[in-house]
Amino acid sequence: MLQILASRGDLVLLRDSVEWEGRSLLKALIREVALKGEQVQVLGCEVSEEVFREGLDSDTNSRLVYHDVFRDPQGWTGNWGPLGILRACLRGAEPGPCTLAVDSLSWLLLHAPCSALCQTLRALGHDNSHPGRVRVLGLLHEDVHGPGPLGALRSLAQIEVTVGGNLGFTTAQVFHPKPRHRSIEQTYWFSILPNFSLEFHKETLLEPRPHRGPQSPTVDAMADLTFNVHLSKKEREARDTLALPFHFSSEKQQSLLHPALASSTSQIFYEPDADDYLDQEDPDDDLDI
Amino acid sequence: MESQQGEGGTELDSQSSIWVNTGGNKMAALTTGFGRARQGGAGDPREYKAETAAGGDKLGGGGGGGDRGCSFLRKVSVPGSGGGGGGGGGARLRSIAGTRPSVQNGQLLVSAGLPALDQLLGGGLAVGTLLLIEEDKYNIYSSLIFKYFLAEGIVCGHTLLVASAKEDPGDILQELPEPLHDDNYKKVLDEGRSHKSQEEPEISMKIAWRYQNLPQMEAGPGTSSRFGHYYDVSKRMSQEVIQSAKWHKFFLPEEITSYANVESCALNHGYTKLLHFIQRVISEQGFDGSNPQKKQKNILRIGIQSLGSPLWGDDICCADTPEHMHSLTRFLYVLRGLLRMSLSACIITVPSHLIQNKAVTSRIRNLSDTVVGLESFIGSEKEANSLYKDYHGLIHIHQIPRLNSLICDVSDTKDLAFKLQRKVFTIEEIKTSNSQSPIFSHGYHIALCSLCGPLNKFIKRIFVF
């Protein structure tokens, strides 16, 4: 799972919901990144710093640079609003690959206009001091927002991870759209241990599945028709041997040239009427053939 | 009828109906009314005593003859061009590279970069109009069409103006596809078709056998004049070609440095800046005819990417009840005014799948001239449908403009799908394996075109003339 998150310059959206929370997955990912020796900038808006750092070991905690908005959500002590702090997160960071975890984008969406947030996120991902090496992990509570802001953030994100849960295990559906049917969609089953390490389970069958809902059977457009579209072999042969009406085949030519003999059914009986004028002279007799 | 031929001219007697000038130029004209015209060869002073039936018909062209009384002659205004009665756009506009007059209504057309798309839009994109692409869900294929448009501009030598809020326009230009030459295109297309032909054998037709060899959707190179070009998507355009192109860039994060909410009541700040930029480029470079000494006229191709998305500072995509709902529509209105008065063509991609308010979507469509919508199958349940298994998405032509005519050339089939192969992007009609409907639709299409052509001209003469 983590090799997908290894790409840089991306916005990774972690979508959770009321049924299954995603902050523990976010902390687990932060721990994985910190174990590689990188510094992680965290913007914490929803929970306090102590609660966030709880459960993470000291190595990870030493590499976390925490920017606290929870203590002062309205920004009364400083001059910056929440977006200002978001922009300032990377200013003190050391040069090199950098990861920024936003505790939640939902909180920012509720406190700042969506378009400004999108512009800020885009500017962060393409920061000049860290060209192409900033990765933003954003936590988003999808049932808080309407389809508008959700769609806007999803179109901005390169990778979407939907967190769910089943039977005591956490599932994460990772979706990375790419052209030509090459989108990456994988589901991972794991459980998060108390020290926020991830334990993957053997049910991690990396089969690509349709992203939406259970797999529906392929729709056959030719089924359930009230007429017969297919031809059986005999019918096909009969169709091939059918003589088309405007084809002047040799049989037709023969039948026209030599009228059938035993045609008792096709004689014409003519009884002249009193008004009919039968001219015995044939005008063609004058022709000289 | 008496006719007397000079070295290059004729003398026409009154009450004559048809004369043929077989001197230096060969031209036949149908004349009505009375008139007498005498012309010498080129260079002689012309004198005529003619009574014109329709006033105001002027003759131009050295040696180009025509009777004064004829009201069906086209106006030729450039002396010495020798092409009297040429295409409807006028002889001088025809000399712009990469354009051609439309066969339906005489408008000047530029290619959109994809010959199949040109065919669906009625020959091409008319100069002075706006092409709106409604993006697919992850903006993969619409950005490809955007790049085709820009690549076509570079190959034809047009000037480009690229505006974006997401990617740097320089990066967009680096990703343009490479143009293909004629013989390469046939190979590339055959590669793509060979996969398909192994699955279904070609059914030879017994009844409609004359239609068997009709081209499916796009004409191959060499069948018509050099209007559209073909591109290889798997390769990038070479650096020399890109650098030789003339282009202007507008990148929103560089233009707007402060994030303060400075918005005029009418238009979004970003949109206002973009409109100023476009207007400045048009007037300084002379695309609106303001520099009459400009020796060579050229077309300006404007490309604006993801207009209306939150990155432009607009909230119609994010909010259900946007605060400035009319910002984008006002922008389009002003932009269309700028386009109409200059020699330019514009492509805009809009993420309309994000717009929640359907009234805004239909307003945006009404304000554009040509509207093409893309719907990709990525992540949707249509991916599993057996009807669509060969394709990557559907393409919907929502609107085609009716420029100077009452009818537009709408394609008769509505089931169009696209497919991105390794090297080419193709647009096809959806075919089930058993049906022969594409052939019939072609037959109807031909019949309809042949009917609409003369009818079109007839209506144009009566109402618009």
Side-chain angles (χ1 to χ4, degrees), chain A residues 43-46 69 73 81-87 89 100-118 120-121 124 136-141 144-145 149 153:
Chain A
L43 181 73
C45 313
E46 285 187 352
V69 174
L83 286 186
I85 299 189
L86 182 64
R87 268 177 241 128
C89 277
L100 170 63
V102 182
D103 187 355
S104 75
L105 291 173
S106 293
W107 193 92
L108 288 175
L109 267 181
L110 293 172
H111 287 80
C114 180
S115 51
L117 176 65
C118 290
T120 313
L121 283 175
L124 278 179
V136 181
L137 298 171
L139 184 65
L140 186 67
H141 308 301
V144 176
H145 306 286
L153 280 179

mmCIF file of all heavy atoms in Angstrom, chain A residues 43-46 69 73 81-87 89 100-118 120-121 124 136-141 144-145 149 153:
data_model
loop_
_atom_site.group_PDB
_atom_site.id
_atom_site.type_symbol
_atom_site.label_atom_id
_atom_site.label_comp_id
_atom_site.label_asym_id
_atom_site.label_seq_id
_atom_site.Cartn_x
_atom_site.Cartn_y
_atom_site.Cartn_z
ATOM 1 N N LEU A 43 -0.750 19.594 10.542
ATOM 2 C CA LEU A 43 -1.631 20.706 10.891
ATOM 3 C C LEU A 43 -2.799 20.101 11.655
ATOM 4 O O LEU A 43 -3.588 19.351 11.088
ATOM 5 C CB LEU A 43 -2.122 21.403 9.627
ATOM 6 C CG LEU A 43 -3.029 22.601 9.863
ATOM 7 C CD1 LEU A 43 -2.216 23.755 10.386
ATOM 8 C CD2 LEU A 43 -3.718 23.015 8.589
ATOM 9 N N GLY A 44 -2.862 20.372 12.921
ATOM 10 C CA GLY A 44 -3.901 19.753 13.729
ATOM 11 C C GLY A 44 -5.005 20.733 14.025
ATOM 12 O O GLY A 44 -4.772 21.790 14.605
ATOM 13 N N CYS A 45 -6.189 20.407 13.615
ATOM 14 C CA CYS A 45 -7.305 21.320 13.818
ATOM 15 C C CYS A 45 -8.383 20.730 14.697
ATOM 16 O O CYS A 45 -9.118 21.449 15.355
ATOM 17 C CB CYS A 45 -7.958 21.690 12.492
ATOM 18 S SG CYS A 45 -6.812 22.155 11.225
ATOM 19 N N GLU A 46 -8.500 19.427 14.697
ATOM 20 C CA GLU A 46 -9.687 18.879 15.334
ATOM 21 C C GLU A 46 -9.426 18.352 16.720
ATOM 22 O O GLU A 46 -10.322 18.340 17.547
ATOM 23 C CB GLU A 46 -10.245 17.749 14.465
ATOM 24 C CG GLU A 46 -10.947 18.288 13.252
ATOM 25 C CD GLU A 46 -11.647 17.206 12.487
ATOM 26 O OE1 GLU A 46 -11.452 16.026 12.818
ATOM 27 O OE2 GLU A 46 -12.383 17.550 11.553
ATOM 28 N N VAL A 69 -3.796 24.430 15.468
ATOM 29 C CA VAL A 69 -4.887 25.372 15.223
ATOM 30 C C VAL A 69 -5.989 25.137 16.241
ATOM 31 O O VAL A 69 -6.826 26.002 16.486
ATOM 32 C CB VAL A 69 -5.415 25.185 13.777
ATOM 33 C CG1 VAL A 69 -6.641 26.024 13.511
ATOM 34 C CG2 VAL A 69 -4.343 25.559 12.800
ATOM 35 N N PRO A 73 -8.764 28.361 17.360
ATOM 36 C CA PRO A 73 -9.393 28.151 16.045
ATOM 37 C C PRO A 73 -9.759 29.436 15.327
ATOM 38 O O PRO A 73 -9.776 29.476 14.113
ATOM 39 C CB PRO A 73 -10.631 27.311 16.363
ATOM 40 C CG PRO A 73 -10.856 27.461 17.817
ATOM 41 C CD PRO A 73 -9.555 27.788 18.456
ATOM 42 N N GLY A 81 -5.223 33.458 9.351
ATOM 43 C CA GLY A 81 -6.373 32.565 9.429
ATOM 44 C C GLY A 81 -5.894 31.130 9.236
ATOM 45 O O GLY A 81 -4.703 30.863 9.132
ATOM 46 N N PRO A 82 -6.808 30.207 9.197
ATOM 47 C CA PRO A 82 -6.401 28.806 9.030
ATOM 48 C C PRO A 82 -5.632 28.561 7.744
ATOM 49 O O PRO A 82 -4.689 27.769 7.711
ATOM 50 C CB PRO A 82 -7.733 28.036 9.050
ATOM 51 C CG PRO A 82 -8.790 29.056 8.896
ATOM 52 C CD PRO A 82 -8.249 30.344 9.373
ATOM 53 N N LEU A 83 -6.008 29.252 6.672
ATOM 54 C CA LEU A 83 -5.293 29.034 5.421
ATOM 55 C C LEU A 83 -3.887 29.610 5.492
ATOM 56 O O LEU A 83 -2.948 29.082 4.906
ATOM 57 C CB LEU A 83 -6.050 29.669 4.256
ATOM 58 C CG LEU A 83 -7.305 28.933 3.826
ATOM 59 C CD1 LEU A 83 -7.871 29.577 2.580
ATOM 60 C CD2 LEU A 83 -7.014 27.473 3.566
ATOM 61 N N GLY A 84 -3.760 30.690 6.224
ATOM 62 C CA GLY A 84 -2.427 31.264 6.375
ATOM 63 C C GLY A 84 -1.492 30.307 7.091
ATOM 64 O O GLY A 84 -0.329 30.161 6.719
ATOM 65 N N ILE A 85 -2.036 29.669 8.097
ATOM 66 C CA ILE A 85 -1.204 28.700 8.821
ATOM 67 C C ILE A 85 -0.873 27.518 7.925
ATOM 68 O O ILE A 85 0.237 26.982 7.962
ATOM 69 C CB ILE A 85 -1.930 28.234 10.091
ATOM 70 C CG1 ILE A 85 -2.178 29.416 10.995
ATOM 71 C CG2 ILE A 85 -1.116 27.184 10.811
ATOM 72 C CD1 ILE A 85 -2.694 29.048 12.344
ATOM 73 N N LEU A 86 -1.808 27.125 7.107
ATOM 74 C CA LEU A 86 -1.552 26.018 6.188
ATOM 75 C C LEU A 86 -0.406 26.365 5.253
ATOM 76 O O LEU A 86 0.483 25.562 4.993
ATOM 77 C CB LEU A 86 -2.829 25.714 5.403
ATOM 78 C CG LEU A 86 -2.804 24.551 4.423
ATOM 79 C CD1 LEU A 86 -2.579 23.250 5.154
ATOM 80 C CD2 LEU A 86 -4.124 24.483 3.681
ATOM 81 N N ARG A 87 -0.436 27.586 4.780
ATOM 82 C CA ARG A 87 0.649 27.988 3.880
ATOM 83 C C ARG A 87 1.956 28.083 4.622
ATOM 84 O O ARG A 87 3.022 27.823 4.065
ATOM 85 C CB ARG A 87 0.324 29.338 3.265
ATOM 86 C CG ARG A 87 -0.394 29.224 1.942
ATOM 87 C CD ARG A 87 -0.766 30.574 1.408
ATOM 88 N NE ARG A 87 -2.196 30.655 1.284
ATOM 89 C CZ ARG A 87 -2.950 31.638 1.798
ATOM 90 N NH1 ARG A 87 -2.405 32.626 2.463
ATOM 91 N NH2 ARG A 87 -4.246 31.630 1.646
ATOM 92 N N CYS A 89 2.993 26.259 6.946
ATOM 93 C CA CYS A 89 3.495 24.974 7.419
ATOM 94 C C CYS A 89 4.821 24.621 6.789
ATOM 95 O O CYS A 89 5.710 24.079 7.437
ATOM 96 C CB CYS A 89 2.501 23.857 7.068
ATOM 97 S SG CYS A 89 1.179 23.697 8.225
ATOM 98 N N LEU A 100 3.159 16.576 4.355
ATOM 99 C CA LEU A 100 2.308 17.432 5.170
ATOM 100 C C LEU A 100 1.018 16.678 5.421
ATOM 101 O O LEU A 100 0.358 16.237 4.485
ATOM 102 C CB LEU A 100 2.037 18.737 4.420
ATOM 103 C CG LEU A 100 0.976 19.669 4.996
ATOM 104 C CD1 LEU A 100 1.367 20.149 6.354
ATOM 105 C CD2 LEU A 100 0.801 20.860 4.074
ATOM 106 N N ALA A 101 0.675 16.508 6.663
ATOM 107 C CA ALA A 101 -0.579 15.821 7.005
ATOM 108 C C ALA A 101 -1.539 16.855 7.564
ATOM 109 O O ALA A 101 -1.199 17.599 8.487
ATOM 110 C CB ALA A 101 -0.314 14.727 8.039
ATOM 111 N N VAL A 102 -2.704 16.901 6.993
ATOM 112 C CA VAL A 102 -3.701 17.875 7.443
ATOM 113 C C VAL A 102 -4.754 17.123 8.217
ATOM 114 O O VAL A 102 -5.378 16.186 7.694
ATOM 115 C CB VAL A 102 -4.352 18.581 6.229
ATOM 116 C CG1 VAL A 102 -5.335 19.627 6.700
ATOM 117 C CG2 VAL A 102 -3.286 19.216 5.377
ATOM 118 N N ASP A 103 -4.960 17.473 9.481
ATOM 119 C CA ASP A 103 -5.823 16.655 10.297
ATOM 120 C C ASP A 103 -7.250 16.833 9.954
ATOM 121 O O ASP A 103 -7.905 15.798 9.804
ATOM 122 C CB ASP A 103 -5.636 16.879 11.773
ATOM 123 C CG ASP A 103 -6.426 15.888 12.569
ATOM 124 O OD1 ASP A 103 -7.163 15.114 11.971
ATOM 125 O OD2 ASP A 103 -6.299 15.834 13.782
ATOM 126 N N SER A 104 -7.827 18.064 9.742
ATOM 127 C CA SER A 104 -8.667 17.605 8.698
ATOM 128 C C SER A 104 -9.004 18.695 7.735
ATOM 129 O O SER A 104 -9.106 19.856 8.048
ATOM 130 C CB SER A 104 -9.920 16.951 9.158
ATOM 131 O OG SER A 104 -10.789 17.881 9.586
ATOM 132 N N LEU A 105 -9.163 18.293 6.481
ATOM 133 C CA LEU A 105 -9.590 19.197 5.431
ATOM 134 C C LEU A 105 -11.038 19.602 5.641
ATOM 135 O O LEU A 105 -11.458 20.675 5.200
ATOM 136 C CB LEU A 105 -9.457 18.525 4.060
ATOM 137 C CG LEU A 105 -8.030 18.274 3.576
ATOM 138 C CD1 LEU A 105 -8.058 17.451 2.305
ATOM 139 C CD2 LEU A 105 -7.335 19.580 3.320
ATOM 140 N N SER A 106 -11.781 18.786 6.333
ATOM 141 C CA SER A 106 -13.189 19.140 6.577
ATOM 142 C C SER A 106 -13.270 20.385 7.438
ATOM 143 O O SER A 106 -14.087 21.276 7.202
ATOM 144 C CB SER A 106 -13.904 17.995 7.295
ATOM 145 O OG SER A 106 -14.012 16.904 6.470
ATOM 146 N N TRP A 107 -12.400 20.421 8.458
ATOM 147 C CA TRP A 107 -12.414 21.589 9.331
ATOM 148 C C TRP A 107 -12.052 22.838 8.532
ATOM 149 O O TRP A 107 -12.654 23.899 8.687
ATOM 150 C CB TRP A 107 -11.407 21.358 10.464
ATOM 151 C CG TRP A 107 -11.531 22.333 11.579
ATOM 152 C CD1 TRP A 107 -12.263 22.200 12.700
ATOM 153 C CD2 TRP A 107 -10.887 23.607 11.656
ATOM 154 N NE1 TRP A 107 -12.132 23.306 13.492
ATOM 155 C CE2 TRP A 107 -11.285 24.185 12.884
ATOM 156 C CE3 TRP A 107 -10.018 24.315 10.834
ATOM 157 C CZ2 TRP A 107 -10.850 25.440 13.297
ATOM 158 C CZ3 TRP A 107 -9.582 25.559 11.240
ATOM 159 C CH2 TRP A 107 -10.000 26.113 12.457
ATOM 160 N N LEU A 108 -11.075 22.704 7.643
ATOM 161 C CA LEU A 108 -10.667 23.850 6.830
ATOM 162 C C LEU A 108 -11.771 24.255 5.866
ATOM 163 O O LEU A 108 -11.987 25.433 5.602
ATOM 164 C CB LEU A 108 -9.404 23.508 6.041
ATOM 165 C CG LEU A 108 -8.143 23.404 6.868
ATOM 166 C CD1 LEU A 108 -7.003 22.939 5.996
ATOM 167 C CD2 LEU A 108 -7.809 24.731 7.499
ATOM 168 N N LEU A 109 -12.488 23.270 5.363
ATOM 169 C CA LEU A 109 -13.580 23.602 4.445
ATOM 170 C C LEU A 109 -14.689 24.356 5.135
ATOM 171 O O LEU A 109 -15.377 25.176 4.531
ATOM 172 C CB LEU A 109 -14.170 22.318 3.845
ATOM 173 C CG LEU A 109 -13.616 21.845 2.515
ATOM 174 C CD1 LEU A 109 -14.327 20.592 2.086
ATOM 175 C CD2 LEU A 109 -13.791 22.917 1.463
ATOM 176 N N LEU A 110 -14.858 24.054 6.416
ATOM 177 C CA LEU A 110 -15.928 24.740 7.114
ATOM 178 C C LEU A 110 -15.524 26.142 7.530
ATOM 179 O O LEU A 110 -16.370 26.959 7.869
ATOM 180 C CB LEU A 110 -16.326 23.941 8.360
ATOM 181 C CG LEU A 110 -16.980 22.598 8.057
ATOM 182 C CD1 LEU A 110 -17.168 21.807 9.330
ATOM 183 C CD2 LEU A 110 -18.320 22.809 7.392
ATOM 184 N N HIS A 111 -14.231 26.415 7.503
ATOM 185 C CA HIS A 111 -13.786 27.720 7.971
ATOM 186 C C HIS A 111 -13.184 28.587 6.891
ATOM 187 O O HIS A 111 -12.757 29.700 7.173
ATOM 188 C CB HIS A 111 -12.737 27.547 9.083
ATOM 189 C CG HIS A 111 -13.351 27.088 10.369
ATOM 190 N ND1 HIS A 111 -13.678 25.789 10.614
ATOM 191 C CD2 HIS A 111 -13.705 27.782 11.478
ATOM 192 C CE1 HIS A 111 -14.203 25.682 11.814
ATOM 193 N NE2 HIS A 111 -14.233 26.879 12.368
ATOM 194 N N ALA A 112 -13.119 28.092 5.699
ATOM 195 C CA ALA A 112 -12.539 28.885 4.617
ATOM 196 C C ALA A 112 -13.294 28.560 3.342
ATOM 197 O O ALA A 112 -13.855 27.473 3.215
ATOM 198 C CB ALA A 112 -11.047 28.549 4.450
ATOM 199 N N PRO A 113 -13.329 29.480 2.395
ATOM 200 C CA PRO A 113 -14.015 29.161 1.140
ATOM 201 C C PRO A 113 -13.287 28.052 0.387
ATOM 202 O O PRO A 113 -12.069 27.942 0.399
ATOM 203 C CB PRO A 113 -13.972 30.477 0.352
ATOM 204 C CG PRO A 113 -13.036 31.347 1.052
ATOM 205 C CD PRO A 113 -12.867 30.860 2.428
ATOM 206 N N CYS A 114 -14.093 27.242 -0.261
ATOM 207 C CA CYS A 114 -13.562 26.035 -0.900
ATOM 208 C C CYS A 114 -12.569 26.384 -2.001
ATOM 209 O O CYS A 114 -11.550 25.718 -2.153
ATOM 210 C CB CYS A 114 -14.722 25.222 -1.470
ATOM 211 S SG CYS A 114 -14.216 23.734 -2.279
ATOM 212 N N SER A 115 -12.862 27.434 -2.757
ATOM 213 C CA SER A 115 -11.960 27.750 -3.852
ATOM 214 C C SER A 115 -10.607 28.203 -3.316
ATOM 215 O O SER A 115 -9.559 27.840 -3.861
ATOM 216 C CB SER A 115 -12.570 28.822 -4.744
ATOM 217 O OG SER A 115 -13.004 29.912 -3.968
ATOM 218 N N ALA A 116 -10.618 28.964 -2.214
ATOM 219 C CA ALA A 116 -9.345 29.400 -1.643
ATOM 220 C C ALA A 116 -8.558 28.209 -1.118
ATOM 221 O O ALA A 116 -7.334 28.138 -1.255
ATOM 222 C CB ALA A 116 -9.597 30.408 -0.526
ATOM 223 N N LEU A 117 -9.262 27.250 -0.514
ATOM 224 C CA LEU A 117 -8.579 26.065 -0.008
ATOM 225 C C LEU A 117 -7.954 25.272 -1.147
ATOM 226 O O LEU A 117 -6.819 24.795 -1.039
ATOM 227 C CB LEU A 117 -9.567 25.196 0.761
ATOM 228 C CG LEU A 117 -9.004 23.875 1.268
ATOM 229 C CD1 LEU A 117 -7.930 24.137 2.290
ATOM 230 C CD2 LEU A 117 -10.103 23.029 1.885
ATOM 231 N N CYS A 118 -8.696 25.133 -2.253
ATOM 232 C CA CYS A 118 -8.149 24.388 -3.390
ATOM 233 C C CYS A 118 -6.919 25.083 -3.954
ATOM 234 O O CYS A 118 -5.926 24.439 -4.302
ATOM 235 C CB CYS A 118 -9.201 24.252 -4.487
ATOM 236 S SG CYS A 118 -10.538 23.163 -4.050
ATOM 237 N N THR A 120 -4.880 26.984 -2.325
ATOM 238 C CA THR A 120 -3.775 26.829 -1.382
ATOM 239 C C THR A 120 -3.174 25.438 -1.461
ATOM 240 O O THR A 120 -1.957 25.274 -1.436
ATOM 241 C CB THR A 120 -4.267 27.088 0.041
ATOM 242 O OG1 THR A 120 -5.043 28.261 0.054
ATOM 243 C CG2 THR A 120 -3.108 27.225 0.986
ATOM 244 N N LEU A 121 -4.029 24.427 -1.573
ATOM 245 C CA LEU A 121 -3.514 23.059 -1.645
ATOM 246 C C LEU A 121 -2.680 22.867 -2.894
ATOM 247 O O LEU A 121 -1.649 22.205 -2.878
ATOM 248 C CB LEU A 121 -4.673 22.062 -1.641
ATOM 249 C CG LEU A 121 -5.315 21.814 -0.290
ATOM 250 C CD1 LEU A 121 -6.523 20.915 -0.452
ATOM 251 C CD2 LEU A 121 -4.331 21.189 0.660
ATOM 252 N N LEU A 124 0.625 24.470 -2.425
ATOM 253 C CA LEU A 124 1.488 23.694 -1.537
ATOM 254 C C LEU A 124 2.139 22.546 -2.266
ATOM 255 O O LEU A 124 3.314 22.251 -2.085
ATOM 256 C CB LEU A 124 0.657 23.104 -0.391
ATOM 257 C CG LEU A 124 0.359 24.002 0.776
ATOM 258 C CD1 LEU A 124 -0.489 23.217 1.756
ATOM 259 C CD2 LEU A 124 1.635 24.437 1.424
ATOM 260 N N VAL A 136 0.910 15.730 0.245
ATOM 261 C CA VAL A 136 -0.078 16.213 1.215
ATOM 262 C C VAL A 136 -1.042 15.077 1.501
ATOM 263 O O VAL A 136 -1.663 14.529 0.591
ATOM 264 C CB VAL A 136 -0.845 17.430 0.653
ATOM 265 C CG1 VAL A 136 -1.838 17.933 1.669
ATOM 266 C CG2 VAL A 136 0.121 18.531 0.266
ATOM 267 N N LEU A 137 -1.170 14.722 2.781
ATOM 268 C CA LEU A 137 -2.150 13.701 3.172
ATOM 269 C C LEU A 137 -3.270 14.434 3.875
ATOM 270 O O LEU A 137 -3.055 15.025 4.920
ATOM 271 C CB LEU A 137 -1.537 12.712 4.174
ATOM 272 C CG LEU A 137 -0.343 11.870 3.750
ATOM 273 C CD1 LEU A 137 0.213 11.158 4.968
ATOM 274 C CD2 LEU A 137 -0.766 10.852 2.743
ATOM 275 N N GLY A 138 -4.445 14.378 3.297
ATOM 276 C CA GLY A 138 -5.544 15.123 3.892
ATOM 277 C C GLY A 138 -6.640 14.188 4.366
ATOM 278 O O GLY A 138 -7.038 13.272 3.649
ATOM 279 N N LEU A 139 -7.122 14.438 5.534
ATOM 280 C CA LEU A 139 -8.227 13.643 6.071
ATOM 281 C C LEU A 139 -9.518 14.395 5.790
ATOM 282 O O LEU A 139 -9.618 15.588 6.057
ATOM 283 C CB LEU A 139 -8.039 13.480 7.577
ATOM 284 C CG LEU A 139 -9.038 12.605 8.311
ATOM 285 C CD1 LEU A 139 -8.917 11.185 7.829
ATOM 286 C CD2 LEU A 139 -8.773 12.665 9.801
ATOM 287 N N LEU A 140 -10.482 13.703 5.246
ATOM 288 C CA LEU A 140 -11.730 14.359 4.869
ATOM 289 C C LEU A 140 -12.889 13.516 5.366
ATOM 290 O O LEU A 140 -12.951 12.319 5.099
ATOM 291 C CB LEU A 140 -11.796 14.498 3.340
ATOM 292 C CG LEU A 140 -12.948 15.281 2.758
ATOM 293 C CD1 LEU A 140 -12.830 16.737 3.130
ATOM 294 C CD2 LEU A 140 -12.935 15.151 1.259
ATOM 295 N N HIS A 141 -13.791 14.135 6.074
ATOM 296 C CA HIS A 141 -14.983 13.413 6.537
ATOM 297 C C HIS A 141 -16.066 13.601 5.500
ATOM 298 O O HIS A 141 -16.601 14.694 5.342
ATOM 299 C CB HIS A 141 -15.457 13.973 7.872
ATOM 300 C CG HIS A 141 -14.357 14.043 8.888
ATOM 301 N ND1 HIS A 141 -13.655 12.952 9.304
ATOM 302 C CD2 HIS A 141 -13.841 15.099 9.559
ATOM 303 C CE1 HIS A 141 -12.753 13.317 10.200
ATOM 304 N NE2 HIS A 141 -12.836 14.618 10.367
ATOM 305 N N VAL A 144 -19.808 15.068 5.975
ATOM 306 C CA VAL A 144 -20.054 16.428 6.455
ATOM 307 C C VAL A 144 -20.402 17.359 5.300
ATOM 308 O O VAL A 144 -21.094 18.356 5.467
ATOM 309 C CB VAL A 144 -18.796 16.934 7.201
ATOM 310 C CG1 VAL A 144 -18.950 18.364 7.637
ATOM 311 C CG2 VAL A 144 -18.525 16.049 8.398
ATOM 312 N N HIS A 145 -19.928 17.028 4.139
ATOM 313 C CA HIS A 145 -20.017 17.975 3.034
ATOM 314 C C HIS A 145 -20.995 17.523 1.982
ATOM 315 O O HIS A 145 -21.276 16.338 1.837
ATOM 316 C CB HIS A 145 -18.644 18.118 2.365
ATOM 317 C CG HIS A 145 -17.588 18.462 3.330
ATOM 318 N ND1 HIS A 145 -17.457 19.714 3.883
ATOM 319 C CD2 HIS A 145 -16.601 17.715 3.863
ATOM 320 C CE1 HIS A 145 -16.442 19.707 4.709
ATOM 321 N NE2 HIS A 145 -15.902 18.517 4.713
ATOM 322 N N PRO A 149 -18.353 20.559 -2.646
ATOM 323 C CA PRO A 149 -16.974 20.615 -2.156
ATOM 324 C C PRO A 149 -16.274 19.262 -2.234
ATOM 325 O O PRO A 149 -15.074 19.188 -2.521
ATOM 326 C CB PRO A 149 -17.126 21.053 -0.691
ATOM 327 C CG PRO A 149 -18.466 21.622 -0.590
ATOM 328 C CD PRO A 149 -19.314 20.986 -1.623
ATOM 329 N N LEU A 153 -12.706 18.682 -4.221
ATOM 330 C CA LEU A 153 -11.469 18.148 -3.642
ATOM 331 C C LEU A 153 -11.069 16.842 -4.307
ATOM 332 O O LEU A 153 -9.892 16.556 -4.471
ATOM 333 C CB LEU A 153 -11.638 17.952 -2.140
ATOM 334 C CG LEU A 153 -11.489 19.224 -1.329
ATOM 335 C CD1 LEU A 153 -11.694 18.931 0.135
ATOM 336 C CD2 LEU A 153 -10.124 19.830 -1.541
#
